[in-house]
């Protein structure tokens, strides 16, 4: 089934050769091309080179109902692009919910096509802390309504943790989420303070009427890891480890091990990247299997790719920390039910991917200073990209 709703792990326009063959076999009958066609240039090329007579757009129109209008007007840069996440499929087919989209918070609303928010009744000073998809969505909507908006981010670039995911297998299209939001924010007059962590001194200096906290969430260290090892950074969380690994491309010897309690799609994208770097990759999880919380079509793709890459999965287990690990490279793992042990050899990379705790560092200080604030996205409770953009969109309208 996952091959019929292609995602970011496959090639662009994956059915091109099949469509071309079909058109050649029935030259007198118009053939419609379909399947992960998200960009107007792709669609135009399929018609221009004779692959098809027409192009069918499905998920791309869910993401941007004005796709055709913008394409015909030469406004491709204004399109909110489909990222092939299949959230729409999951919601209507698996969860039996109203359709939703990671990159279109207004999907299904009467005014969604080419939406630009109406002006606010009163101009206010808004500070947004965090430049991930939740913060950026709130920022551009608030600025487009006429507010004076300043975004503070400790990162040198916008995008937050989604920027890391965009650099891993299957994530390239996700950059279009924060690229659109950033461009819209600049067009609406947002100011950005990058490379600086927000503190009360900085926030006070901006004299905000309201602060929107989109500070995200951080993984919680697993209990099997001793406290001194957690604080030393010797065994980092998976996000930190991947950021560092991406700074040093190239093959490395040994086995890479991920301890997986998160079961998020990004964890398995990291495993695929590690497969291209290390001799072997092992995922250890206390659950009986992996990817249990993901949409069926996403989970099927993950299981297929990990199987094809011979990435080993050890279920119902967790590591047992040994102080000699750094010298020996041996990592014992114990079955959580019966105590059976298996020892992984030549471990050169070990990181943990776990449930995330919201960053609440500014809450008490803002409350004490009697500054109105809203908490959105993972800063409220760690969830999905869909939740981040949806809540950011709502917050931008609410201030």
């Amino acid at each position: 089934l996952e091959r019929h709703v292609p995602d970011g792990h496959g090639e662009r326009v994956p059915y091109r050769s099949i469509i071309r063959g079909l058109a050649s076999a029935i030259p007198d009958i118009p053939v419609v091309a379909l399947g992960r066609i998200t960009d107007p240039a792709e669609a135009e090329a399929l018609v221009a080179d004779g692959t098809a007579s027409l192009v069918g757009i499905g998920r791309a129109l869910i993401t941007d109902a004005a796709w055709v209008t913008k394409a015909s007007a030469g406004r491709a840069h204004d399109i909110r692009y489909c990222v092939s996440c299949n959230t729409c499929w999951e919601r209507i087919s698996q969860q039996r919910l109203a359709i939703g989209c990671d990159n279109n918070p207004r999907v299904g609303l009467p005014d969604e096509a080419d939406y630009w928010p109406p002006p606010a009744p009163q101009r206010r000073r808004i500070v947004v802390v965090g430049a991930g998809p939740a913060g950026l969505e709130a920022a551009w909507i608030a600025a487009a309504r006429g507010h004076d908006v300043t975004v503070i981010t400790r990162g040198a670039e916008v995008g937050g943790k989604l920027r890391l995911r965009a650099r891993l297998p299957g994530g390239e299209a996700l950059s279009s989420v924060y690229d659109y939001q950033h461009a819209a924010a600049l067009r609406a007059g947002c100011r950005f303070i990058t490379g600086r962590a927000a503190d009360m001194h900085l926030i006070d200096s901006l004299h905000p009427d309201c602060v929107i906290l989109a500070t995200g969430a951080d993984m919680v260290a697993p209990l099997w890891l001793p406290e001194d090892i957690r604080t030393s950074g010797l065994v980092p969380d998976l996000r930190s480890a991947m950021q560092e690994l991406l700074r040093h491309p190239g093959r490395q010897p040994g086995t890479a091990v991920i301890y997986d309690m998160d079961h998020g799609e990004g964890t398995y994208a990291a495993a695929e990247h590690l497969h291209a770097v290390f001799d072997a990759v092992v995922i250890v999880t206390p659950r009986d299997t992996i990817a249990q919380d993901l949409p069926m079509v996403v989970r099927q793709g993950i299981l297929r790719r990990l199987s094809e890459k011979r990435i080993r999965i050890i279920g119902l287990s967790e590591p047992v920390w040994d102080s000699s690990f750094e010298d020996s490279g041996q990592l014992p793992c114990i079955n959580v039910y019966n105590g059976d042990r298996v020892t992984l050899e030549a471990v050169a990379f070990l990181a943990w991917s776990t449930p995330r705790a919201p960053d609440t560092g500014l809450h008490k200080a803002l409350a004490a200073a009697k500054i109105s604030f809203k908490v959105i996205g993972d800063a409220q409770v760690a969830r999905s990209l869909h939740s981040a953009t949806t809540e950011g969109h709502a917050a931008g309208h609410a201030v």
Side-chain angles (χ1 to χ4, degrees):
L1 180 59
E2 49 92 11
R3 292 181 183 271
H4 293 277
V5 277
D7 59 20
H9 290 271
E11 62 179 326
R12 310 289 303 190
V13 198
Y15 310 132
R16 187 193 308 267
S17 60
I18 297 174
I19 295 164
R20 185 179 291 120
L22 179 61
S24 298
I26 50 173
D28 297 328
I29 301 175
V31 171
V32 181
L34 53 81
R36 205 179 175 216
I37 303 167
T38 64
D39 188 273
E42 293 171 337
E44 188 68 32
L46 289 167
V47 176
D49 68 9
T51 297
S53 302
L54 301 168
V55 173
I57 304 296
R59 290 175 295 173
L61 283 177
I62 294 173
T63 310
D64 195 329
W67 191 97
V68 175
T69 301
K70 292 177 180 179
S72 62
R75 295 172 52 211
H77 59 282
D78 284 339
I79 292 174
R80 294 194 86 150
Y81 283 99
C82 174
V83 298
S84 305
C85 60
N86 291 321
T87 293
C88 55
W89 187 96
E90 174 196 16
R91 288 179 65 86
I92 62 177
S93 299
Q94 187 173 342
Q95 297 179 338
R96 300 296 192 268
L97 297 173
I99 195 167
C101 177
D102 285 2
N103 200 19
N104 178 11
R106 300 195 72 80
V107 62
L109 296 179
D111 60 356
E112 70 166 305
D114 219 355
Y115 180 75
W116 192 261
Q122 180 182 355
R123 181 177 171 87
R124 306 176 73 200
R125 288 186 298 274
I126 309 298
V127 171
V128 179
V129 182
L136 287 175
E137 186 69 25
W140 90 258
I141 289 291
R145 296 179 63 226
H147 294 310
D148 182 324
V149 179
T150 302
V151 180
I152 306 170
T153 174
R154 60 188 172 189
E157 300 175 290
V158 303
K161 297 179 179 71
L162 189 62
R163 183 172 284 273
L164 170 62
R165 177 64 194 91
R167 298 182 63 190
L168 297 176
E172 180 184 5
L174 291 170
S175 63
S176 67
V177 176
Y178 53 79
D179 283 345
Y180 176 91
Q181 293 170 325
H182 187 213
L186 292 174
R187 179 165 46 137
C190 276
R191 295 185 301 276
F192 285 83
I193 299 174
T194 60
R196 183 171 175 182
D199 55 31
M200 287 305 298
H201 176 74
L202 176 56
I203 292 172
D204 278 336
S205 71
L206 297 169
H207 307 291
D209 296 306
C210 182
V211 175
I212 297 175
L213 294 178
T215 47
D218 297 306
M219 293 177 176
V220 179
L223 295 177
W224 56 264
L225 203 60
E227 181 63 30
D228 60 327
I229 302 300
R230 299 180 205 175
T231 56
S232 71
L234 176 63
V235 181
D237 67 88
L238 184 60
R239 287 170 170 171
S240 300
M242 296 308 297
Q243 290 278 20
E244 185 62 26
L245 188 67
L246 288 168
R247 295 190 187 99
H248 306 283
R251 292 283 302 178
Q252 297 187 37
T255 296
V257 178
I258 297 174
Y259 176 66
D260 176 27
M261 287 182 68
D262 177 65
H263 287 247
E265 194 269 342
T267 297
Y268 310 117
E272 290 190 60
H273 180 83
L274 292 171
H275 173 266
V277 176
F278 291 91
D279 296 332
V281 179
V282 180
I283 297 172
V284 180
T285 179
R287 294 196 193 183
D288 61 324
T289 185
I290 63 166
Q292 291 178 329
D293 302 330
L294 295 171
M296 181 174 65
V297 291
V298 175
R299 182 169 65 252
Q300 286 178 325
I302 290 168
L303 294 174
R304 175 175 57 82
R305 291 189 301 274
L306 297 191
S307 296
E308 290 173 347
K309 291 177 168 60
R310 306 301 193 272
I311 292 175
R312 184 181 177 188
I313 300 167
I314 302 178
L316 300 178
S317 299
E318 62 181 21
V320 177
W321 181 254
D322 189 324
S323 59
S324 67
F325 166 73
E326 194 171 5
D327 295 323
S328 70
Q330 294 183 326
L331 182 68
C333 297
I334 186 170
N335 184 284
V336 296
Y337 287 132
N338 61 28
D340 285 353
R341 289 196 176 206
V342 59
T343 298
L344 302 177
E345 304 285 348
V347 176
F349 175 102
L350 173 61
W352 37 274
S353 181
T354 57
R356 294 161 285 158
D359 181 346
T360 60
L362 288 169
H363 292 201
K364 289 184 179 179
L366 287 169
K370 293 184 170 51
I371 297 175
S372 173
F373 68 93
K374 298 179 181 296
V375 184
I376 61 173
D378 285 2
Q380 185 175 67
V381 60
R383 285 155 297 153
S384 63
L385 175 58
H386 176 260
S387 298
T389 53
T390 299
E391 289 182 9
H393 195 79
H397 283 91
V399 294

